[in-house]
Amino acid sequence: MTVNMTKGQAISLQKNDGGSLTAVRMGLGWQAAPRRGLFGSRTREIDLDASAVLFADKQPVDVVFFRHLVSDDGSVRHTGDNLVGGVGQGGDDEAILVDLARVPVHIDQIVFTVNSFTGQTFQEVQNAFCRLVDETNGQELARYTLAGGGAYTAQIMAKVHRVGAGWNMTALGTPANGRTFQDLMPAILPAL
């Protein structure tokens, strides 16, 4: 059963049977919003990029994004860059796979971001979401929908963080500006 998350909401990543999830996929989907013009509605391709920044004690230690597809330890993997969005017909346009069992013990948080590499704002994006899927069985666990557009070029979407021996996911939904994950670091740090 999917939990439709609201900004700031946290959920445990424990399975119903009490076990822990071992592998999850953070999927990102979006479509270009139609714009009205002199000759009717049209859309322009939007290149959103998903990134995962791995933190140890509030210090960034690794990142996974379209130019570095696998974390140095191999526990986090980006499936590849999608330059236009909307091809998934409501499915994931980009995805980041996290093997929770392999994440080194010193990594305590993984923050997922999305940014417009080409600089378009979220006013030009519609139907944008991130979702967490149990990679072992394909079951969607949680979904956070980006609502309202906005004059910003990025979003700090969610974080997966250690709680005791397990993991939680928190929907962040923090608007930011920047074309790359590096540009977003000042907006990420307060969410840790």
Side-chain angles (χ1 to χ4, degrees), residues 2 23 30 67 71 73 89 91 120 142 164 188:
T2 298
W30 73 93
R67 289 189 179 145
S71 63
D73 58 51
Q89 305 294 324
Q120 291 122 317
I188 293 172

Side-chain angles (χ1 to χ4, degrees), residues 22 103 113 160:
T22 56
V103 174
T113 66
V160 173

Side-chain angles (χ1 to χ4, degrees), residues 11-93:
I11 62 165
S12 171
L13 299 185
Q14 298 296 314
K15 290 185 174 185
N16 291 339
D17 65 6
S20 295
L21 292 171
T22 56
V24 295
R25 173 174 20 110
M26 180 65 73
L28 169 67
W30 73 93
Q31 294 175 327
R35 297 185 321 182
R36 297 204 184 279
L38 186 58
F39 301 106
S41 293
R42 61 190 170 129
T43 60
R44 189 170 120 196
E45 293 178 347
I46 306 274
D47 179 13
L48 296 185
D49 292 319
S51 301
V53 185
L54 289 71
F55 287 89
D57 197 27
K58 299 188 179 186
Q59 297 297 314
V61 294
D62 202 355
V63 66
V64 173
F65 70 116
F66 70 94
R67 289 189 179 145
H68 185 242
L69 294 176
V70 179
S71 63
D72 293 340
D73 58 51
S75 66
V76 182
R77 184 172 53 89
H78 195 298
T79 60
D81 195 12
N82 179 325
L83 301 176
V84 297
V87 297
Q89 305 294 324
D92 301 336
D93 293 310

Side-chain angles (χ1 to χ4, degrees), residues 114-127:
V114 58
N115 55 275
S116 172
F117 188 71
T118 49
Q120 291 122 317
T121 69
F122 276 77
Q123 291 169 326
E124 299 177 65
V125 177
Q126 69 180 11
N127 302 325

Side-chain angles (χ1 to χ4, degrees), residues 135-166:
E135 194 61 15
T136 61
N137 64 16
Q139 179 185 358
E140 182 175 287
L141 304 169
R143 177 177 287 254
Y144 178 61
T145 302
L146 292 167
Y152 48 87
T153 60
Q155 180 97 212
I156 314 305
M157 299 286 285
K159 69 178 179 178
V160 173
H161 50 101
R162 289 187 192 271
V163 177

